[in-house]
């Protein structure tokens, strides 16, 4: 299963302290891995490549549980692939995070009583770079704490020189191919950040507002519209109704008076209007609503802006210079005074978009912006999944992907910021527009100036899989490591980041998609399934848990909850349980080393091994095969669970315990089992290493004397199986489990010794008698032995002498009472289930609950009766 030819003699067991202290191990180990270059990827290597990019965290960010979760999964994949002999690149880096970073630096300036305008653009950008160098990127150090095996020598930043060249190159190509254009459209606008923002930067929540119904027009030529944004009526250029709505057919094509103004606006018929909703008539404000903008385009309506970039009313008159919220109240009051308010509903809960950075309410706004024409790009992104070039895992996420890319609208890529990749377009004095590539000189002279906007952060991060490898140059790294093997990311950015990488990768790399597999995971939630948030008071700093329990404990907890595409609940007690698992591995390995476990020499032949030895090797190989299959299917939770139960249950709780008598006896049998135990621990630690790298590294190097698990071979299934040994040990386990249950039912303490006679003569279990007695605390029968309880278990009669250990009369009385209670419960449940009237009226869940009670009562009766039968007669 593993190659041990390069291993040295094991280090002495004294090198393992009695207790595992993660804080004393993890930092030093990680720096050793980095110094030795274990995570470095060589483009000249002849090994097959395995490439993963880190979803670049914001330079302003710090490690949160979502990062820790995602990084744990990626690190597990890359560590395993490295052990399997792949030239593995996990590409690190950070995103410049335009709005977030600019806001951070502007707040710092605010403390000095300054704004960015006081500095000017060039000086402000220099100030941001200074902040980035001094304070940004703290997440890098936190990634080291977690154990991320990234190639730090390749770390990139979306604003560094190479990536900036990539951005300018692809902008120029898209521009020349007429896939980038400038147009006036409705965008999400933040009146606080003073920029357009992407859909992903808008967070929706239910706000309490007001719904007012306003009468437009007079008499029979009037109709009523309802709105939550009365202030925008100043920009109305029509009222729309459905073409088939008989109520308003006489008004279509005519004009009506717009209240509070001296304008008349047309009534238009449009299929977008739902005649069943409200009054069936809607106000149309093309400059301040995306749906209204489309209605306006269809009917040739003018667009009137009534709010400026700070959401202040610009229309001359009594409402000019009012903030939008102040204007809303003032306009409703004016309409009420004119008798035009038909109905008012407040509070009226409705979904409102907010800027994710500053929490300001978003303003839909007509604005001149740069756009990417996504039609052909989005089709290519959809086709790459449909024709099998790219797999999405889990498969059911494909529908969400297709729903997005098949209906993708043109993408606004310009942002009214100073921090970011400035749009490489120059305007001339006579209306000239020139897009400049990275090797071209921009036009100069009087009247020429560059566009003041910068590009959306998602534009540069969309190039991440190939820009980090040196594109547009045809570098060795690009040839070796593109396309990426797999992308691991949250389903929440499937539409925004993943779709953009697909579009840009296919466009820039001649139809080659940026990755072969997309693995989508869920979001980390608290133990009750609630979203983690500072406002909810349930947010957790993963560094706190790593300080308290160790990085391995956090990693194992996260991996064990990682079912594909499903949200991950996590609580501190689960991390504590994983810490206990790390301690179990530590203690069991110390025991093994003290009892002769070794990896020296060849494995003994099957004939030399006991059934217990053959059983554990058979189970070991089966587990290797199972874990491999689960890794290849990205089933992190299942493979973690398989490793947990194999290590804890089968190796530590069964094999080690069953072998103790062998080790105590010494001789050749002990040497054989010592070699088998060494092999089992060697392979088990290798399998566990990608998820819990620190504790396994410490134990494995001590056990084997090898250099590092990071560069060790991944175990292979040797094909060894012994079904006979598995059946035999399964029977031993069944016998021990049943007798333990009986002992517990009789109230015996776990360590209390009881005389017993085991009917093992002629049984295949006879070789295991010493181990069975040791594990069950069963003394040999003496001269005064009296069988007061007899258990037929697994074809073996186990006779116990309980005299002097329990009060048989009292125990019989207690069990008889419990039996009566169980029989009463059964009678009540049976009666209800036999009552047709009850069954006809009771909800299904109630009936199911009673059926469950009946099943449990039957089980209790059988269990208690067996205990009574095992007691000696009074």
């Amino acid at each position: 299963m593993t190659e041990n030819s390069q291993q040295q003699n094991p280090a002495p067991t004294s090198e393992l302290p009695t207790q595992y202290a993660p804080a004393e191990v993890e930092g030093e180990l990680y720096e050793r891995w980095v110094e030795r270059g274990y995570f470095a990827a060589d483009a000249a290597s002849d090994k097959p490549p395995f490439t993963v990019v880190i979803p670049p965290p914001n330079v302003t960010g710090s490690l949160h549980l979502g990062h820790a979760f995602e990084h744990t999964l990626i690190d597990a994949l890359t560590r395993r692939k490295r052990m399997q002999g792949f030239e593995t690149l996990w590409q690190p880096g950070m995103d410049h995070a335009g709005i977030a970073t600019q806001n951070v630096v502007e707040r710092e300036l605010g403390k000095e009583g300054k704004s960015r305008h006081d500095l000017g653009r060039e000086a402000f950008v220099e100030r941001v770079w200074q902040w980035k160098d001094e304070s940004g990127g703290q997440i890098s150090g936190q990634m080291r704490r977690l154990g991320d095996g990234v190639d730090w020598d390749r770390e990139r930043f979306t604003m560094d020189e190479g990536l900036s060249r990539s951005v300018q190159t692809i902008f120029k190509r898209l521009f020349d191919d007429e896939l980038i254009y400038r147009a006036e459209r409705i965008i999400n606008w933040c009146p606080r950040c003073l920029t357009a923002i992407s859909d992903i930067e808008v967070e929706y929540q239910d706000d309490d507002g007001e719904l007012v119904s306003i009468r437009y027009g007079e008499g029979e030529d009037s109709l009523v519209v309802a709105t939550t944004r009365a202030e925008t009526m100043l920009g109305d250029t029509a009222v729309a109704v459905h073409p088939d709505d008989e109520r308003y057919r006489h008004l279509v094509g005519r004009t009506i008076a717009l209240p509070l103004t001296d304008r008349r606006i047309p009534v238009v018929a449009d299929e977008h209007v739902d005649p069943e909703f409200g009054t069936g008539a809607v106000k149309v404000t093309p400059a301040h609503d995306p749906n209204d903008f489309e209605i306006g385009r269809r009917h040739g309506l003018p667009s009137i802006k009534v709010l400026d970039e700070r959401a202040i009313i610009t229309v001359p008159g009594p409402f000019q210079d009012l903030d939008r919220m102040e204007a809303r109240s003032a306009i409703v009051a004016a309409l009420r005074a004119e008798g035009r308010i038909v109905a008012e509903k407040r509070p009226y809960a409705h979904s409102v978009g907010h800027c994710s950075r500053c929490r300001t309410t978003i303003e839909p706004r007509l604005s001149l912006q740069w756009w990417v024409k996504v039609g052909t790009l989005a089709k290519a992104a959809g086709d790459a999944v449909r024709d099998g070039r790219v797999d999405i895992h889990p498969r059911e996420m494909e529908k969400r992907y297709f729903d997005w890319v098949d209906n993708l609208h043109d993408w606004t890529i310009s942002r009214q910021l100073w921090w970011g990749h400035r749009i490489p377009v120059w305007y001339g004095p006579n209306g000239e527009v020139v897009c400049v590539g990275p090797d071209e000189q921009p036009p100069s002279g009087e009247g020429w100036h560059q566009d003041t906007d910068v590009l959306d952060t998602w534009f540069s991060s969309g190039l991440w899989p190939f820009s980090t490898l040196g594109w547009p140059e045809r570098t060795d790294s690009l040839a070796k490591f593109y396309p990426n093997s797999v992308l691991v990311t949250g389903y929440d950015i499937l539409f925004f980041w993943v779709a953009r990488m697909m579009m840009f990768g296919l466009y820039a790399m001649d139809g080659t998609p940026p990755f072969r597999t997309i693995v989508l995971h869920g979001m980390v939630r608290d133990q009750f399934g609630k979203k983690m948030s500072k406002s909810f008071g349930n947010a957790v700093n993963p560094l706190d848990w790593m300080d308290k329990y160790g990085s391995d404990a956090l990693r194992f907890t996260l991996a064990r909850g990682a079912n594909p595409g499903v949200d991950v609940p996590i609580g501190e007690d689960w991390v504590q349980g994983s810490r206990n698992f790390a301690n179990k591995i530590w203690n069991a390995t110390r025991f093994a080393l003290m009892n002769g476990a070794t990896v020296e020499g060849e494995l003994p032949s099957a004939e030399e091994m006991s059934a217990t030895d053959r059983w554990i090797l058979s189970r070991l190989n089966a587990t290797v095969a199972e874990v491999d299959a689960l890794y290849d299917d990205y089933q992190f939770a299942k493979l973690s669970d398989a490793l947990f139960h194999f290590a804890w249950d089968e190796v530590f709780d069964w094999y080690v315990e069953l072998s103790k008598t062998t080790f105590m006896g010494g001789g050749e049998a002990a040497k054989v089992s010592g070699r088998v135990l060494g092999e089992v621990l060697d392979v088990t630690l290798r399998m566990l290493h990608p998820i819990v790298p620190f504790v396994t590294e410490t134990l494995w190097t001590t056990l084997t004397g090898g250099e590092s698990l990071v560069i060790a071979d991944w175990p292979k299934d040797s094909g060894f199986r012994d079904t006979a040994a598995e059946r035999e040990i399964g029977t031993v386990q069944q016998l021990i489990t049943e007798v333990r249950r009986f002992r517990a039912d009789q109230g015996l303490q776990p360590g209390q010794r009881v005389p017993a006679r085991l009917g093992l003569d002629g049984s295949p279990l006879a070789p295991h008698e010493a181990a069975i007695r040791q594990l069950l605390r069963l003394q040999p029968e003496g001269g005064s032995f009296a069988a007061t309880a007899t258990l037929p278990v697994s074809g073996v009669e186990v006779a116990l002498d309980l005299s002097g250990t329990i009060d048989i009369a009292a125990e019989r009385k207690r069990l008889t009472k419990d039996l009566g209670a169980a029989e009463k419960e059964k009678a009540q449940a049976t009666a209800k289930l036999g009552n047709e009237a009850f069954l006809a009226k009771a909800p299904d869940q109630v009936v199911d609950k009673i059926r469950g009670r009946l099943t449990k009562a039957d089980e209790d009766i059988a269990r208690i009766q067996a205990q009574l039968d095992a007691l000696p007669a009074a």
Side-chain angles (χ1 to χ4, degrees):
M1 283 176 286
T2 60
E3 296 294 333
N4 294 310
S5 57
Q6 297 180 349
Q7 294 169 352
Q8 305 160 8
N9 290 328
T13 59
S14 59
E15 290 188 11
L16 283 182
T18 55
Q19 291 185 329
Y20 177 50
E24 298 175 9
V25 171
E26 294 175 350
E28 181 182 342
L29 265 186
Y30 187 83
E31 291 309 315
R32 187 187 308 159
W33 291 334
V34 174
E35 288 169 5
R36 293 181 177 179
Y38 292 157
F39 305 139
D42 182 5
S45 166
D46 58 2
K47 296 179 182 178
F50 183 83
T51 316
V52 182
V53 293
I54 187 175
N58 288 353
V59 68
T60 59
S62 60
L63 191 74
H64 57 63
L65 273 178
H67 288 128
F69 173 54
E70 186 168 81
H71 290 201
T72 294
L73 304 187
I74 300 174
D75 198 38
L77 287 178
T78 54
R79 284 179 182 268
R80 173 175 174 258
K81 285 296 183 180
R82 191 178 293 113
M83 294 172 75
Q84 286 182 313
F86 286 78
E87 192 61 37
T88 302
L89 169 60
W90 183 8
Q91 172 68 56
M94 286 184 293
D95 192 285
H96 65 277
I99 293 178
T101 306
Q102 180 159 317
N103 282 348
V104 167
V105 178
E106 286 197 79
R107 283 196 295 269
E108 292 296 316
L109 285 174
K111 296 174 183 177
E112 303 171 13
K114 299 177 181 178
S115 74
R116 60 183 164 116
H117 300 285
D118 294 323
L119 272 66
R121 182 168 193 146
E122 186 175 336
F124 176 77
V125 171
E126 186 62 35
R127 179 70 177 261
V128 179
W129 276 108
Q130 179 183 341
W131 174 89
K132 186 261 180 186
D133 292 338
E134 294 175 356
S135 306
Q138 62 175 315
I139 199 169
S140 296
Q142 296 165 344
M143 288 166 59
R144 293 171 181 264
R145 282 287 315 277
L146 190 64
D148 287 2
V150 300
D151 186 345
W152 289 111
D153 290 338
R154 291 175 175 266
E155 187 174 12
R156 303 304 299 270
F157 180 55
T158 51
M159 285 281 286
D160 69 27
E161 183 178 351
L163 269 65
S164 295
R165 179 180 177 83
S166 299
V167 169
Q168 193 172 354
T169 299
I170 201 163
F171 188 100
K172 170 70 171 173
R173 291 187 186 181
L174 289 164
F175 182 90
D176 290 346
D177 287 344
E178 298 183 350
L179 293 175
I180 281 183
Y181 63 95
R182 198 177 188 217
E184 200 171 38
R185 300 274 182 85
I186 290 284
I187 46 86
N188 300 308
W189 181 266
C190 177
R192 155 61 184 78
C193 299
L194 299 180
T195 181
I197 64 175
S198 66
D199 290 340
I200 196 172
E201 292 164 323
V202 179
E203 293 183 355
Y204 289 89
Q205 66 185 48
D206 284 342
D207 286 358
D208 284 338
E210 60 180 350
L211 180 68
V212 293
S213 298
I214 309 168
R215 178 170 52 83
Y216 284 22
E218 305 293 342
E220 293 184 358
D221 290 345
S222 68
L223 40 68
V224 175
V225 300
T227 181
T228 59
R229 305 191 64 217
E231 71 278 9
T232 63
M233 67 166 292
L234 301 177
D236 287 358
T237 56
V239 172
V241 299
H242 193 274
D244 299 331
D245 195 330
E246 293 292 340
R247 293 172 294 177
Y248 306 117
R249 188 179 294 275
H250 67 291
L251 290 176
V252 174
R254 299 171 58 184
T255 63
I256 59 174
L258 177 65
L260 306 182
T261 72
D262 58 1
R263 292 191 291 118
R264 295 184 67 83
I265 58 176
V267 178
V268 299
D270 195 276
E271 296 280 352
H272 172 75
V273 180
D274 181 0
E276 303 299 324
F277 182 78
T279 63
V282 296
K283 61 192 286 299
V284 181
T285 321
H288 294 282
D289 183 274
N291 293 321
D292 293 1
F293 177 76
E294 295 301 327
I295 293 175
R297 291 180 66 181
R298 287 194 288 272
H299 297 277
L301 302 174
S303 296
I304 301 175
K305 297 178 185 177
V306 298
L307 295 165
D308 68 8
E309 62 182 9
R310 298 183 184 276
I312 303 296
I313 296 292
T314 59
V315 179
F319 311 111
Q320 188 172 9
D321 297 330
L322 291 179
D323 171 83
R324 55 184 167 169
M325 301 304 177
E326 297 171 332
R328 183 176 301 171
S329 298
I331 288 172
V332 170
L335 290 167
R336 191 183 298 112
E338 290 190 4
R340 289 193 174 274
I341 299 296
V342 176
E344 296 180 70
K345 183 177 181 181
R346 64 170 64 88
Y348 177 73
H350 61 124
S351 182
V352 178
H354 296 262
C355 175
S356 63
R357 303 300 178 188
C358 67
R359 310 306 304 161
T360 302
T361 299
I362 289 302
E363 186 63 46
R365 185 169 187 258
L366 186 64
S367 181
L368 183 63
Q369 302 284 345
W370 285 95
W371 303 80
V372 172
K373 190 182 297 183
V374 300
T376 57
L377 301 175
K379 182 180 183 304
D383 290 345
V385 175
R386 286 189 170 97
D387 64 24
R389 281 175 289 158
V390 177
D391 292 324
I392 293 180
H393 186 90
R395 181 77 64 173
E396 53 266 25
M397 287 288 181
E398 279 188 1
K399 183 180 184 302
R400 297 179 65 176
Y401 177 79
F402 291 136
D403 286 346
W404 179 257
V405 297
D406 292 348
N407 299 284
L408 199 57
H409 300 297
D410 285 0
W411 169 24
T412 174
I413 55 173
S414 45
R415 298 290 179 266
Q416 289 64 54
L417 303 170
W418 287 357
W419 173 245
H421 295 102
R422 195 163 174 182
I423 289 177
V425 171
W426 272 256
Y427 305 106
N430 299 311
E432 301 95 334
V433 178
V434 177
C435 181
V436 177
D439 298 317
E440 300 172 352
Q441 285 293 323
S444 60
E446 186 177 352
W448 282 94
H449 65 281
Q450 186 178 358
D451 196 299
T452 58
D453 288 352
V454 301
L455 287 164
D456 177 14
T457 299
W458 296 103
F459 190 95
S460 52
S461 62
L463 314 180
W464 193 247
F466 51 92
S467 64
T468 52
L469 298 173
W471 187 91
E473 309 305 324
R474 293 290 172 174
T475 64
D476 291 341
S477 289
L478 189 66
K480 178 74 174 181
F481 295 114
Y482 188 91
N484 288 192
S485 307
V486 63
L487 173 74
V488 180
T489 191
Y491 63 68
D492 57 319
I493 56 174
L494 171 65
F495 314 132
F496 308 104
W497 187 47
V498 178
R500 279 143 176 63
M501 286 191 290
M502 286 285 283
M503 290 191 296
F504 280 164
L506 290 159
Y507 173 80
M509 297 301 293
D510 303 319
T512 302
F515 19 73
R516 297 187 179 92
T517 302
I518 302 169
V519 176
L520 298 170
H521 59 72
M523 314 306 293
V524 178
R525 298 182 177 272
D526 71 13
Q527 59 188 318
F528 306 108
K530 190 175 182 180
K531 179 181 178 181
M532 285 191 172
S533 166
K534 289 182 180 178
S535 60
F536 294 157
N538 63 349
V540 174
N541 183 345
L543 295 173
D544 293 340
W545 281 353
M546 286 191 280
D547 288 342
K548 193 171 183 180
Y549 303 111
S551 299
D552 284 333
L554 178 63
R555 290 170 61 114
F556 193 73
T557 303
L558 292 167
R560 206 172 177 193
N563 288 297
V566 178
D567 288 345
V568 183
I570 184 173
E572 185 170 1
D573 55 336
W574 302 343
V575 185
Q576 185 175 353
S578 295
R579 188 271 314 273
N580 295 343
F581 179 51
N583 288 342
K584 183 80 169 180
I585 302 169
W586 184 271
N587 293 333
T589 305
R590 286 191 75 251
F591 167 84
L593 288 169
M594 289 187 293
N595 285 274
T598 180
V599 295
E600 287 297 296
E602 295 297 322
L603 273 174
S605 65
E607 291 73 22
E608 296 175 276
M609 290 188 282
S610 67
T612 308
D613 294 333
R614 297 194 305 276
W615 162 73
I616 197 61
L617 287 177
S618 182
R619 291 296 307 129
L620 177 67
N621 278 281
T623 302
V624 170
E626 180 184 9
V627 168
D628 269 335
L630 292 170
Y631 257 119
D632 291 341
D633 197 35
Y634 306 101
Q635 298 280 357
F636 296 100
K638 290 182 178 178
L639 73 89
S640 299
D641 214 44
L643 285 169
F644 173 87
H645 287 294
F646 174 72
W648 191 307
D649 298 345
E650 298 188 273
V651 179
F652 305 145
D653 278 359
W654 282 111
Y655 180 72
V656 168
E657 294 298 322
L658 287 171
S659 300
K660 279 184 177 178
T661 54
T662 302
F663 290 128
M664 290 167 60
E668 192 60 32
K671 290 181 181 179
V672 169
S673 291
R675 180 64 187 90
V676 170
L677 180 53
E679 181 75 8
V680 171
L681 287 175
D682 175 17
V683 174
T684 302
L685 292 171
R686 290 173 193 253
M687 287 194 291
L688 283 166
H689 176 73
I691 300 174
V692 284
F694 295 107
V695 66
T696 52
E697 173 85 339
T698 306
L699 294 173
W700 185 84
T701 52
T702 303
L703 170 71
T704 68
E707 181 182 341
S708 173
L709 263 176
V710 180
I711 55 172
D713 293 333
W714 180 254
K716 296 179 181 178
D717 174 12
S718 71
F720 177 82
R721 299 290 191 278
D722 193 324
T723 55
E726 290 196 36
R727 284 195 302 270
E728 184 174 322
I729 300 305
T731 305
V732 172
Q733 292 172 318
Q734 183 181 7
L735 185 150
I736 292 172
T737 301
E738 290 297 322
V739 176
R740 279 176 173 168
R741 184 180 294 121
F742 177 77
R743 286 176 56 108
D745 289 340
Q746 302 307 317
L748 296 176
Q749 295 300 314
Q752 188 173 354
R753 294 196 168 273
V754 176
R757 181 174 62 241
L758 303 180
L760 295 176
D761 291 343
S763 167
L765 303 190
H768 304 285
E769 180 169 358
I772 292 170
R773 286 188 177 275
Q774 174 67 22
L775 290 173
L776 290 172
R777 302 296 188 269
L778 301 179
Q779 298 176 189
E781 52 188 298
S784 59
F785 179 82
T788 58
T790 304
L791 299 174
V793 183
S794 304
V796 175
E797 186 175 270
V798 180
L800 304 175
D801 184 354
L802 302 179
S803 58
T805 60
I806 62 171
D807 185 334
I808 294 175
E811 184 64 15
R812 182 173 292 280
K813 183 177 180 181
R814 182 185 71 81
L815 289 172
T816 301
K817 182 179 178 181
D818 290 348
L819 181 62
E823 289 174 337
K824 181 179 179 181
E825 174 74 2
K826 177 180 180 178
Q828 291 174 343
T830 301
K832 284 189 176 182
L833 294 173
N835 185 333
E836 294 295 335
F838 169 78
L839 293 176
K841 296 179 181 178
D844 290 345
Q845 60 267 32
V846 173
V847 176
D848 289 342
K849 186 175 181 180
I850 293 172
R851 288 192 178 117
R853 284 169 50 192
L854 178 60
T855 299
K856 185 177 184 304
D858 282 333
E859 292 172 350
D860 288 344
I861 290 169
R863 175 179 55 81
I864 297 168
Q865 189 61 60
Q867 293 174 36
L868 281 168
D869 293 343
L871 289 176

